[in-house]
Amino acid sequence: MTGLVSAERGVGETAVVDALPEFVVVVFAAVTHLADPWFLFGLLAVGYWFAGDRLAASPRRAGATAIAAVTCAYAAVALGKAWFAVPRPPGAMGPADVPTWLPGLLSAWYEAQVLSDGFGFPSGHATGGAAAYGALALVYDRASTGRRRLLGAGIVAAAVAASRVVIEVHYLVDVLVGVLLGGAVVVVALWLAGDPRFRGSGSGPAGTTSGLDRTDPTADLDPTPAFLLAAVVSVAAAGVAVANGQTSEVVEAGIGIATGVGGAVGWLLVDGDEPAVPVRVALPALVVTGALWVGAYALAGSFLVTLVATTAAVVGVVAMPAVPPLVERVGA
């Protein structure tokens, strides 16, 4: 479906960013890390495991719903990239124009940032950033005011989107569509989770009614439908990628399937009202789940291994709040 989005879709932004000082480009190369998948899922996991009731009426439900929303966002990106299959800007292909004043280690880092392969529409960083920071601003509704949370989320999402254009790995239209897509996905995910702010009623996801729904919209959230939607969209992305012979996109879609299924399975193991995960449990869990994530990407050549490792990692992350109470019951 390449014809639907032009490969030459720039509107003159390349000439503008080429005129920027090297220092500005280096700064934006660092800013783009704020929406790297590893950073976003790490941030979401920290919120899910450790947030207290000062941030949300039901911190575990809020955190899991945020993870589900971002999983949906990446599934939508995988489908979009496989469907439209258009290249990135020529600057993303290299060679990289590394500033001579950067030290050796930073030079290698910078080159890794400004070179990128794969398809370019929509931007995964712009979509994931908008979805993650937008979801966090909405589900942790007791932190500051709604206006301040959304303003902060908007600033970070805009900075990330701009960074992708400045380092020339995306065109402007890629990131604009990504930001809009990320915002839309959050609305859909929260609606599916039963957020009364988007449902327009006081009914929870299972038809229950809670007096806390309006003042505490996270009280009855259920992330399961959003996780399952992510899995379904990822299956569609995998089908398109297979049909088009896009090996790398098949792997990305597979990770989306595993994340969606793993999230839904992990949520079956928790009640949703567990306390924060103790640090003594979280640290070894982080090592194990992190190792599984790394293994999933390192062994991306084996589709089955990637699916199994990713599913296990996500089940572990989402089910983690249920582990300390279980250990206490067994010990008693």
Side-chain angles (χ1 to χ4, degrees), residues 6 71 97 195 218 261 299-300 315:
S6 174
T71 303
D97 186 13
D195 191 319
T218 68
V261 172
L299 300 173
V315 169

Side-chain angles (χ1 to χ4, degrees), residues 25-252:
V25 180
V26 172
V27 169
F28 274 104
V31 168
T32 203
H33 282 305
L34 294 175
D36 282 351
W38 65 266
F39 180 84
L40 289 182
F41 279 109
L43 177 65
L44 293 166
V46 167
Y48 174 57
W49 286 357
F50 299 122
D53 56 13
R54 290 186 178 182
L55 295 179
S58 180
R60 247 43 70 203
R61 292 182 180 276
T65 300
I67 294 174
V70 177
T71 303
C72 285
Y74 281 119
V77 169
L79 179 59
K81 287 189 174 183
W83 184 270
F84 295 108
V86 290
R88 295 177 183 269
M93 301 300 106
D97 186 13
V98 181
T100 57
W101 46 268
L102 277 177
L105 288 177
L106 288 181
S107 294
W109 160 80
Y110 179 82
E111 185 171 7
Q113 291 299 99
V114 301
L115 298 181
S116 188
D117 55 10
F119 300 125
F121 181 90
S123 165
H125 277 71
T127 305
Y133 295 107
L136 290 171
L138 287 167
V139 300
Y140 293 123
D141 61 297
R142 291 182 174 180
S144 187
T145 65
R147 179 175 298 180
R148 289 178 178 175
R149 295 194 310 273
L150 290 173
L151 177 61
I155 290 173
V156 177
V160 168
S163 75
R164 306 303 286 172
V165 178
V166 170
I167 65 176
E168 298 188 56
V169 294
H170 281 291
Y171 290 107
L172 180 62
V173 66
D174 300 345
V175 301
L176 291 178
V177 170
V179 169
L180 293 175
L181 178 60
V185 166
V186 169
V187 172
V188 171
L190 290 179
W191 181 84
L192 286 172
D195 191 319
R197 294 170 294 184
F198 300 98
R199 284 288 178 97
S201 69
S203 297
T208 60
T209 300
S210 169
L212 294 175
D213 277 341
R214 286 298 181 182
T215 56
D216 290 310
T218 68
D220 294 318
L221 292 180
D222 180 3
T224 304
F227 276 126
L228 294 178
L229 174 63
V232 170
V233 174
S234 296
V235 168
V240 173
V242 169
N244 294 336
Q246 301 161 348
T247 304
S248 62
E249 297 304 319
V250 172
V251 174
E252 292 296 325

